[in-house]
Amino acid sequence: MTAQTQATLQLFGGIAGVLVLASAIGALLKWRIGGRPHAVIDNLNARVNAWWAMVAVIGLAFAFGKGGVIVLFYLVSFYGLREFMSLAYTRRGDHLAIAAAFYLALPLQYFLVWIEWYGLYSIFIPVYAFLVLPILSALGGDTLRFLERTAKVQWGLMVCVFCISHVPALLTLRIPGFEDRNLLLIAFLVIVVQGSDVLQYVWGKLFGRHTIAPALSPSKTWEGLVGGVASATLLGALLAWATPFTFWQAGLMALLICIMGFLGGLVMSAIKRDRGVKDWGTMIEGHGGMLDRLDSVIFAAPIYFHVLRYGWEP
């Protein structure tokens, strides 16, 4: 058994243990109220059940290695982009640009990640797609709210494809002494960023009093932010054994991930409020849409990737 396989199994074993405990707590709480409907408890159980499904899907992708991870996040980007575009104002003249985003830019970005052509996948969407998409929209001949429509297609491609593609791109990094263990870099990112979301929710429910941006997200409080980020930072530091980082490096990396994850969630909440919706979709029971689970990953992934590529030394 390789070191990566052993560490991955240990991580997933720990996650399974936490989910078993959460399922047991949810079942106990439901039993204590006699099985009657209860908004908080029912929401908790729905979230736990959804987490079981998501962990299973991620575990299956990890079992197939690089190919499985790239296919998984390709699908994640596809469904995320579909949710984003479903809420964007578009017209018939944008159909060619939208088709190019879904069926040209998206698969080509992940193909470039697959062949590890960093020089191109790092600029393909921010430069080439950025220029080509408005050209395609302009060919449609419709100038009504043209800038707004074009910007929304560009934004959708950036957040749903470019940013998210940096998660599988972690597999392309070459870290001395950590060869063939890059799946653990993805596991670290996902555990920390999602752990931060959960812990911010828990701390906010227990001690939250002062909202950060009530117009954007009434549930986000300073108490939840500080408690959740601090807890998730400690969690990241404790996961140092599964990474190329020391205890303090892992803690600092986790802190950066948590901060960027929070800011990303805030930005994505602002977009939802602008569109007048609470969730991006209903794909995942208890979690909303695909983008509702990815809003923290969107900003954290590219920063984490580039800090590892350029700013971190063993």
Side-chain angles (χ1 to χ4, degrees):
M1 181 181 296
T2 65
Q4 173 173 277
T5 301
Q6 183 177 358
T8 302
L9 289 175
Q10 289 173 342
L11 280 175
F12 275 90
I15 294 171
V18 171
L19 289 176
V20 167
L21 178 61
S23 296
I25 292 173
L28 177 62
L29 292 173
K30 191 69 173 177
W31 174 76
R32 291 190 64 180
I33 63 171
R36 296 188 302 274
H38 189 284
V40 175
I41 296 175
D42 291 342
N43 181 264
L44 170 66
N45 287 330
R47 285 173 175 265
V48 172
N49 292 335
W51 268 111
W52 274 113
M54 287 188 285
V55 169
V57 170
I58 293 174
L60 182 62
F62 273 32
F64 284 94
K66 177 182 176 180
V69 171
I70 289 178
V71 169
L72 171 63
F73 283 95
Y74 169 86
L75 294 173
V76 164
S77 286
F78 181 88
Y79 285 106
L81 184 60
R82 190 177 71 168
E83 289 178 352
F84 192 99
M85 295 310 303
S86 70
L87 296 182
Y89 172 76
T90 59
R91 292 170 61 85
R92 183 181 297 274
D94 300 314
H95 289 180
L96 186 58
I98 294 172
F102 273 97
Y103 302 112
L104 180 61
L106 193 162
L108 187 52
Q109 174 73 7
Y110 278 89
F111 174 73
L112 295 173
V113 172
W114 170 266
I115 64 175
E116 303 188 13
W117 192 350
Y118 171 76
L120 189 52
Y121 75 65
S122 63
I123 64 170
F124 171 63
I125 290 176
V127 177
Y128 297 105
F130 177 83
L131 297 174
V132 169
L133 290 177
I135 292 172
L136 296 177
S137 291
L139 291 175
D142 187 348
T143 61
L144 181 65
R145 296 166 66 179
F146 178 81
L147 179 60
E148 174 190 346
R149 289 160 31 215
T150 300
K152 286 176 180 176
V153 177
Q154 292 170 325
W155 248 85
L157 201 58
M158 279 294 295
V159 299
C160 299
V161 182
F162 179 75
C163 290
I164 292 173
S165 71
H166 281 77
V167 180
L170 290 166
L171 298 177
T172 69
L173 294 176
R174 299 291 180 264
I175 299 177
F178 204 69
E179 292 83 0
D180 302 320
R181 301 178 66 190
N182 288 34
L183 281 174
L184 296 173
L185 297 176
I186 296 177
F188 180 84
L189 169 65
V190 172
I191 291 172
V192 170
V193 78
Q194 296 299 331
S196 178
D197 282 353
V198 172
L199 291 166
Q200 285 180 47
Y201 175 81
V202 172
W203 279 87
K205 287 295 183 182
L206 292 175
F207 306 107
R209 297 292 183 275
H210 304 89
T211 56
I212 297 173
L216 301 184
S217 183
S219 63
K220 293 185 185 296
T221 64
W222 285 108
E223 294 83 359
L225 173 63
V226 173
V229 168
S231 302
T233 298
L234 177 59
L235 172 63
L238 294 175
L239 290 173
W241 59 270
T243 72
F245 317 133
T246 66
F247 178 86
W248 295 109
Q249 288 171 335
L252 289 174
M253 196 69 75
L255 177 61
L256 175 64
I257 289 171
C258 292
I259 291 173
M260 293 309 302
F262 170 77
L263 295 175
L266 210 59
V267 170
M268 297 302 285
S269 291
I271 296 174
K272 286 191 292 184
R273 299 300 174 265
D274 174 67
R275 305 313 304 158
V277 298
K278 179 179 180 296
D279 296 318
W280 287 100
T282 59
M283 182 181 223
I284 308 173
E285 183 183 3
H287 290 269
M290 182 69 74
L291 288 178
D292 291 295
R293 281 300 87 215
L294 295 174
D295 54 4
S296 300
V297 177
I298 286 168
F299 277 41
I303 300 299
Y304 176 57
F305 174 89
H306 283 99
V307 167
L308 278 174
R309 183 176 175 88
Y310 295 111
W312 181 82
E313 295 181 1

